[in-house]
Amino acid sequence: MSRLYEDAAYGPQGTCYWAETVTAPAWPRLDRDAQVDVAVIGGGFTGLNAALRLAEQGASVAVLEADHPGWGASGRNGGFCCLGGSKAPAALLRRRFGDGADTAWTRTEAAAVDHVDHLIRRLSLQVDLHSKGETLLAHKPRAFSQLQASAEETGETYGVTPQLHSRADLASEGMGGPWHGGMTLPIGFALNPRKYHSGLGLAARQAGAELYAESPVTDLTRTGNAGWSLTTARGTVRARSVILATNGYSHETLPDWLRGRTLPVQSSVIVTRPLTEAEQQAAGWWSNQMSYDTRVLLHYFRLMPDGRFLFGMRGGLRATAAAQSRLSRRIRADFARMFPAWERVEITHEWSGLVCLMRNLVPFVGEIPGHPQLFAALGFHGNGVAMGSYAGRLVAGHAMGERLDAPDWLGTPPPRFPLGRHRRLLLAPAYLAAEALDL
């Protein structure tokens, strides 16, 4: 088996703030042979949503997580439940998948947010909900002009009324900073991702799913017409169907079909100590809106219910100690430049994780070609809270043979990236181009 990055990218989460907010779930290791209807590889948002849906429909399910619960992107993300999941513009969607593909996608984006909202309310999950939609902040005058020009169309696309903010509006609403204006789209909310993950896991277990931690799958073999055999260090699982829900943490050879089809990208987060009211006033930021800026290499940030401030950005190209040290300096410099009043505020937590890009810029949710009853849900382009959760629901439907209310082109096999195992090199010129556009 192989992964694209150095081992450190898949190692401990650093000082991840979310880990301190929940009692770690106690999932046992798989230490026996088992037989189930469906085996799910990966115990994050996607895998747990799939397992919950399957178990509630009466299927026997085993979830196999390689490390501890919440170890991957589901325990490391920024907690933004919002629109997204694709990097393909509307015109590209129409050209590739036909007229109406862009409209179908916007419905899917909204359905993903609604899915998480419904789950939280149905299961009575306590996940520190806050923020009414998301606010996009213009980092230069031209960007604000573009927001103004697009507001009406954006509202019609999603069936809502966006709110435009001048620089003065933002300051009065507690979103002061080096912005030239902004736009709030009233779809989505912020949450504590580890509390959401823990609640999903508990609900899946109560529905009858078996959840196993520290049980990495080392071999996946088709067993004739009988299904699949999944090998772990201490036991084997036989299943009629298998769902691959490992996203940016996937092994290239599990199965071989996956080789070169994903491009994991690092993302880094810092969190401050709780800010006093005076410190919030000094920076001009006391809003609880989840926000991001209009840069291609965007920054995302929000004030959390306990007064801490979360600030994130895309990471580096390598996961070495030297690369991480450079990135740590850079994220602090960007934070201080955008919020100079907090330059000397203590950063108490810092960590990184992997988001997953696809060459065709859309997620893959469906059956893997040439692999009967082997399904995958991958490639959420940094929006895994909503789209990763919804994709888990959708891929469970595939496994059960349900007719789904989602674009069928999500099952289009993603092409491989050029350069094979060296494809990270593609990110260097892309980042340079993005930095030039962001000036």
Side-chain angles (χ1 to χ4, degrees):
M1 296 194 299
S2 62
R3 286 181 171 136
L4 191 61
Y5 281 82
E6 296 84 3
D7 288 345
Y10 310 98
Q13 295 174 327
T15 56
C16 181
Y17 169 68
W18 309 124
E20 299 178 4
T21 66
V22 296
T23 301
W27 298 3
R29 292 181 181 177
L30 179 70
D31 59 2
R32 62 183 180 86
D33 294 339
Q35 185 161 351
V36 294
D37 295 324
V38 185
V40 180
I41 304 176
F45 296 153
T46 303
L48 289 179
N49 268 272
L52 176 61
R53 173 64 177 172
L54 289 162
E56 288 183 336
Q57 294 299 303
S60 58
V61 188
V63 175
L64 300 171
E65 168 59 53
D67 210 280
H68 64 77
W71 161 76
S74 296
R76 308 185 190 211
N77 66 86
F80 286 51
C81 184
C82 55
L83 299 171
S86 165
K87 293 298 184 184
L92 181 59
L93 290 174
R94 290 193 298 269
R95 187 164 66 249
R96 283 183 175 168
F97 305 119
D99 292 341
D102 54 330
T103 303
W105 174 250
T106 58
R107 287 200 304 267
T108 303
E109 288 181 280
V113 175
D114 288 344
H115 168 74
V116 177
D117 179 64
H118 176 71
L119 262 186
I120 290 170
R121 299 182 191 286
R122 177 169 73 88
L123 301 175
S124 299
L125 303 182
Q126 302 303 308
V127 295
D128 301 339
L129 285 179
H130 60 285
S131 184
K132 296 179 180 179
E134 58 182 334
T135 300
L136 179 56
L137 298 166
H139 76 289
K140 55 185 178 181
R142 182 182 176 187
F144 185 48
S145 296
Q146 291 171 336
L147 289 180
Q148 291 173 305
S150 67
E152 183 176 354
E153 181 180 356
T154 300
E156 291 175 352
T157 296
Y158 292 104
V160 298
T161 302
Q163 181 182 3
L164 287 166
H165 314 272
S166 67
R167 184 196 291 265
D169 291 337
L170 290 172
S172 67
E173 294 165 14
M175 291 182 281
W179 330 117
H180 297 271
M183 181 176 72
T184 295
L185 200 62
I187 301 175
F189 46 87
L191 51 67
N192 180 320
R194 284 294 288 270
K195 289 185 178 181
Y196 172 52
H197 179 272
S198 294
L200 282 176
L202 179 60
R205 292 182 75 172
Q206 289 175 339
E210 302 173 32
L211 309 182
Y212 298 102
E214 298 180 359
S215 302
V217 176
T218 57
D219 189 55
L220 177 63
T221 305
R222 181 70 178 165
T223 55
N225 294 323
W228 294 88
S229 176
L230 298 84
T231 303
T232 73
R234 301 185 180 189
T236 298
V237 175
R238 293 186 178 274
R240 171 182 54 82
S241 303
V242 175
I243 291 173
L244 184 66
T246 46
N247 206 36
Y249 291 76
S250 299
H251 279 284
E252 297 274 278
T253 55
L254 200 68
D256 284 338
W257 174 88
L258 196 58
R259 193 187 305 273
R261 297 187 193 272
T262 66
L263 180 54
V265 176
Q266 291 183 293
S267 190
S268 295
V269 179
I270 56 175
V271 170
T272 71
R273 63 161 170 77
L275 299 165
T276 66
E277 183 176 342
E279 288 170 327
Q280 294 173 31
Q281 292 287 333
W285 192 285
W286 58 86
S287 171
N288 69 356
Q289 277 294 105
M290 59 180 184
S291 306
Y292 63 104
D293 62 26
T294 51
R295 291 175 173 86
V296 179
L297 294 178
L298 59 83
H299 302 89
Y300 52 95
F301 40 92
R302 61 188 174 98
L303 184 67
M304 296 192 288
D306 66 353
R308 295 177 185 269
F309 197 80
L310 179 149
F311 183 87
M313 59 182 282
R314 290 291 174 259
L317 303 178
R318 302 190 66 192
T320 62
Q324 183 56 46
S325 180
R326 289 192 296 270
L327 180 60
S328 184
R329 292 193 297 270
R330 180 175 177 179
I331 193 171
R332 282 166 166 75
D334 283 11
F335 174 67
R337 185 175 66 253
M338 294 168 68
F339 300 97
W342 296 338
E343 181 177 9
R344 297 187 182 278
V345 167
E346 180 186 3
I347 304 298
T348 58
H349 300 80
E350 180 175 3
W351 69 92
S352 62
L354 296 170
V355 303
C356 186
L357 310 183
M358 311 297 273
R359 190 178 177 187
N360 60 357
L361 305 179
V362 296
F364 173 72
V365 183
E367 188 174 36
I368 294 177
H371 297 70
Q373 293 301 117
L374 177 59
F375 304 90
L378 306 159
F380 311 124
H381 299 89
N383 287 79
V385 178
M387 192 55 64
S389 295
Y390 191 51
R393 161 68 180 86
L394 293 177
V395 78
H398 278 292
M400 293 187 293
E402 292 181 344
R403 184 174 180 177
L404 304 175
D405 184 19
D408 57 6
W409 46 261
L410 288 176
T412 301
R416 287 189 168 93
F417 284 91
L419 304 183
R421 65 187 180 89
H422 302 294
R423 62 190 182 277
R424 268 190 297 174
L425 296 174
L426 299 169
L427 293 171
Y431 281 1
L432 287 173
E435 288 174 355
L437 290 171
D438 287 339
L439 292 176

